[in-house]
């Protein structure tokens, strides 16, 4: 499983990435968390706000720092 | 083009403006009105087709934002695209309800758009 975190690399983006890593670990899901900070690449997903989380190519949330529990439900 | 500051996580919801942009005078008025509303600082023009096509980035961005949705006529393609994903627009406008008759005459778009915007504001 691949999780992409879209955002400039600010505190919120970092927190979302950390939560995603924790959620995957808690569920025992093997996954790679990749941070995308390039604005052109972020825009290619069509999102208008960050941070955003993309799981296996599908945008799941925009503009919010999801909690570990919320991310676990998406995995 | 959007800049990083426009996208960054500032915690406040953006306002997105989406228009049906259909193939009639009122559809095209909705599109022109969307652009005019962005120019007046009321939000960012955004792609309704992306929501209609179920593209997740567009759907989730619309869900996360305050939205002004402009349909040209009561068929409501934009509204139906939103409903499909359980999204309710913050403000919903139908151009024909502003007193503009739907037709396929594109000769008066400028004047009709001005009239529509005057009634929207």
């Amino acid at each position: 499983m691949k999780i992409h975190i879209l955002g400039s690399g600010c505190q919120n983006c970092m927190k979302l990435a950390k939560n995603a890593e924790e959620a995957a670990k808690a569920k025992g899901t093997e996954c790679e968390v990749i941070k995308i900070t390039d604005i052109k690449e972020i825009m290619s997903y069509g999102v208008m706000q960050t941070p955003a989380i993309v799981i296996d190519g599908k945008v799941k949330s925009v503009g919010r720092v999801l909690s570990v529990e919320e991310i676990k439900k998406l995995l | 083009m959007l800049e990083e500051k426009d996208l960054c996580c500032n915690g406040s919801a953006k306002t997105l403006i989406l228009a049906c942009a259909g193939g009639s005078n009122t559809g095209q008025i909705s599109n022109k009105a969307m652009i005019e509303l962005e120019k007046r600082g009321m939000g960012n023009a955004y792609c309704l087709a992306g929501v209609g096509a179920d593209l997740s980035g567009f759907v989730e961005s619309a869900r996360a934002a305050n939205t002004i949705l402009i349909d040209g006529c009561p068929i409501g393609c934009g509204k139906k695209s939103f409903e499909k994903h359980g999204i309710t627009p913050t403000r919903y406008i139908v151009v024909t309800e502003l007193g503009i008759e739907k037709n396929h005459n594109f000769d008066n778009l400028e004047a009709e758009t001005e009239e529509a915007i005057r009634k929207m504001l």
Side-chain angles (χ1 to χ4, degrees):
Chain A
M1 180 178 282
K2 279 192 178 172
I3 299 178
H4 290 88
I5 303 296
L6 313 183
S8 63
C10 73
Q11 239 178 1
N12 285 338
C13 308
M14 302 301 277
K15 175 74 176 157
L16 183 60
K18 188 170 170 284
N19 287 355
E21 281 163 359
E22 275 183 35
K25 195 176 168 190
K27 283 206 74 168
T29 308
E30 213 171 286
C31 83
E32 188 183 359
V33 178
I34 302 153
K35 300 180 193 80
I36 295 180
T37 56
D38 178 70
I39 190 164
K40 282 185 183 165
E41 200 174 344
I42 291 172
M43 286 183 67
S44 73
Y45 287 88
V47 303
M48 279 296 272
Q49 210 170 352
T50 57
I53 183 167
V54 184
I55 300 176
D56 284 343
K58 192 166 182 191
V59 179
K60 295 289 188 178
S61 169
V62 169
R64 285 186 58 224
V65 179
L66 298 185
S67 67
V68 174
E69 286 306 312
E70 285 175 310
I71 298 169
K72 275 164 74 177
K73 287 178 191 160
L74 299 174
L75 298 178
Chain B
M1 180 180 156
L2 282 175
E3 293 174 16
E4 202 166 286
K5 65 178 173 55
D6 297 320
L7 277 171
C8 196
C9 335
N10 58 15
S12 60
K14 287 182 87 78
T15 297
L16 300 180
I17 311 165
L18 304 92
C20 82
S24 64
N25 66 325
T26 52
Q28 290 307 302
I29 289 165
S30 77
N31 199 46
K32 290 168 88 63
M34 172 182 71
I35 294 164
E36 192 55 41
L37 293 182
E38 170 164 327
K39 285 181 179 172
R40 293 179 190 215
M42 293 182 69
N44 291 110
Y46 198 49
C47 185
L48 178 62
V51 179
D54 303 339
L55 301 179
S56 60
F58 291 86
V59 172
E60 294 310 319
S61 290
R63 196 189 309 284
N66 295 317
T67 48
I68 301 172
L69 175 61
I70 313 171
D71 265 323
C73 74
I75 294 171
C77 300
K79 193 176 184 190
K80 288 182 176 67
S81 295
F82 267 41
E83 283 172 353
K84 191 163 64 167
H85 300 287
I87 304 171
T88 305
T90 311
R91 185 172 175 204
Y92 182 55
I93 299 163
V94 181
V95 175
T96 53
E97 290 176 3
L98 303 174
I100 297 163
E101 191 181 341
K102 180 180 176 179
N103 57 49
H104 286 265
N105 178 355
F106 299 109
D107 293 336
N108 299 314
L109 281 184
E110 296 299 330
E112 287 176 332
T113 303
E114 273 180 37
E115 183 187 343
I117 287 171
R118 201 172 58 246
K119 290 174 177 172
M120 283 178 197
L121 296 175

